[in-house]
């Protein structure tokens, strides 16, 4: 396989994996420790917010401690997939 095709295939696979992981994390609200929906549900039951510790309530969405590391995770997984495709498409023999 030509080097140009290998590089393009690796970039496409890496981008696809990175975007898929990003979409998965956004669907799971991985960037938030407490989401707005959780707060709305707690208020519907008459609580002032979501209880994060005994007697401690959060009334606004709270970002996760690891939210800043999510883009690094997406980048590393995409790079690993790209490397696997690049190595996997080399000539044998």
């Amino acid at each position: 396989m030509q080097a140009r095709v290998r590089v393009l295939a690796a970039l496409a696979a890496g981008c696809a994996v990175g975007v898929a992981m990003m979409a998965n994390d956004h669907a799971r609200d991985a960037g938030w420790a407490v989401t707005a929906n959780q707060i709305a549900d707690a208020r519907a039951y008459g609580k002032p917010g979501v209880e994060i510790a005994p007697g401690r309530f959060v009334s606004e969405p709270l970002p996760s401690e690891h939210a800043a590391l999510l883009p690094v995770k997406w980048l590393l997984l995409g790079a690993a997939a790209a490397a696997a495709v690049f190595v996997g498409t080399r000539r044998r023999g």
Side-chain angles (χ1 to χ4, degrees), residues 68-78:
L69 295 177
L70 288 176
V72 175
K73 171 185 155 185
W74 306 329
L75 179 68
L76 290 176
L77 288 172

Side-chain angles (χ1 to χ4, degrees), residues 38-67:
Q38 291 172 327
I39 294 170
D41 290 343
R43 286 186 179 161
Y45 287 108
K47 296 181 180 178
V50 176
E51 189 171 12
I52 57 173
R56 237 180 113 198
F57 289 90
V58 175
S59 61
E60 293 184 8
L62 181 67
S64 173
E65 294 176 2
H66 305 292

